[in-house]
Amino acid sequence: TQLLEQSPQFLSIQEGENLTVYCNSSSVFSSLQWYRQEPGEGPVLLVTVVTGGEVKKLKRLTFQFGDARKDSSLHITAAQPGDTGLYLCAGALSAGTASKLTFGTGTRLQVTL
Amino acid sequence: KAGVTQTPRYLIKTRGQQVTLSCSPISGHRSVSWYQQTPGQGLQFLFEYFSETQRNKGNFPGRFSGRQFSNSRSEMNVSTLELGDSALYLCASSLWTGTGYTFGSGTRLTVV
């Protein structure tokens, strides 16, 4: 059972366009992380959000954590070809001192010139 | 500083064999987690180790096992390989359990 659903699954846009990727769940997470993965490599952490309603900005990327800590969004302004990759959200379910990441289904973004 | 190092990068094994994958975390990181990534199932959690103790385990059969050494290096073992075990196996380390993870480049395992 996939706890985290991402939409859209695929996105092909031109340079300069804006886009939003959504990450939804029925579970409450202690924190939510966003990663970007390029072919042949492991995911690279972009941001961690921990507080409901939190908004974090990383240059042209804006991340938001839902008030109920069940969902999140990633907005990219003026996309560039270097933004191309697989975007993954991951929720952390903590149980005492243990934790594991539940990854979303992924959004594959392609930005063309 | 050096990142997370996984060896080997590529591996081809035959059904029924066993395989051991290695992960060296970032220096000072005590939490090491393993994930399996396939096109159909995406990234799935295998297990997490913290200070040599398995803290959490995913829904994988007992053929998948792991361990962590006193220097935080970790290994995972898959016995009696099946074709469906073909995947990218990723290791991630973090300073504390539950915080942001740094992933290695993975080991691409192909079972034939």
Side-chain angles (χ1 to χ4, degrees):
Chain A
T1 302
Q2 190 60 260
L3 295 180
L4 274 170
E5 295 289 338
Q6 286 184 238
S7 61
Q9 277 188 295
F10 302 96
L11 200 50
S12 181
I13 61 173
Q14 290 190 317
E15 183 180 19
E17 291 185 38
N18 301 332
L19 67 117
T20 302
V21 177
Y22 299 94
C23 174
N24 295 295
S25 173
S26 56
S27 300
V28 176
F29 294 101
S30 58
S31 68
L32 198 133
Q33 301 168 19
W34 284 91
Y35 292 82
R36 182 172 71 208
Q37 185 178 23
E38 299 189 19
E41 297 297 325
V44 175
L45 178 67
L46 297 174
V47 77
T48 300
V49 286
V50 296
T51 305
E54 183 177 2
V55 176
K56 277 192 175 179
K57 291 192 176 184
L58 187 67
K59 296 183 181 178
R60 295 177 292 101
L61 279 60
T62 302
F63 305 86
Q64 185 164 9
F65 201 12
D67 291 340
R69 291 187 288 131
K70 292 183 179 181
D71 54 83
S72 181
S73 65
L74 157 61
H75 182 80
I76 300 179
T77 303
Q80 298 177 359
D83 296 327
T84 294
L86 177 67
Y87 287 82
L88 296 157
C89 63
L93 291 166
S94 290
T97 56
S99 181
K100 68 175 186 178
L101 287 181
T102 298
F103 277 85
T105 47
T107 295
R108 195 165 296 279
L109 171 66
Q110 182 170 17
V111 183
T112 56
L113 293 170
Chain B
K1 58 182 178 183
V4 177
T5 304
Q6 290 188 246
T7 55
R9 283 297 307 270
Y10 303 93
L11 207 48
I12 299 175
K13 288 285 187 179
T14 305
R15 270 183 304 174
Q17 287 186 312
Q18 75 164 19
V19 68
T20 299
L21 311 181
S22 180
C23 172
S24 293
I26 290 175
S27 178
H29 283 194
R30 296 164 65 186
S31 172
V32 174
S33 301
W34 289 89
Y35 291 82
Q36 180 196 65
Q37 187 174 29
T38 59
Q41 297 296 318
L43 269 148
Q44 292 188 292
F45 173 77
L46 281 158
F47 24 68
E48 180 196 16
Y49 288 88
F50 186 84
S51 293
E52 302 179 67
T53 302
Q54 187 180 91
R55 292 300 182 98
N56 218 333
K57 191 176 189 306
N59 296 322
F60 278 81
R63 301 185 296 107
F64 291 82
S65 63
R67 59 178 174 169
Q68 186 180 33
F69 302 95
S70 58
N71 61 358
S72 292
R73 190 176 71 85
S74 178
E75 289 181 347
M76 69 163 280
N77 184 278
V78 187
S79 63
T80 319
L81 284 166
E82 301 177 358
L83 294 178
D85 296 333
S86 294
L88 180 67
Y89 289 88
L90 292 159
C91 165
S93 76
S94 66
L95 197 56
W96 298 105
T97 181
T99 57
Y101 291 85
T102 301
F103 280 83
S105 297
T107 294
R108 171 78 60 187
L109 172 65
T110 302
V111 182
V112 297

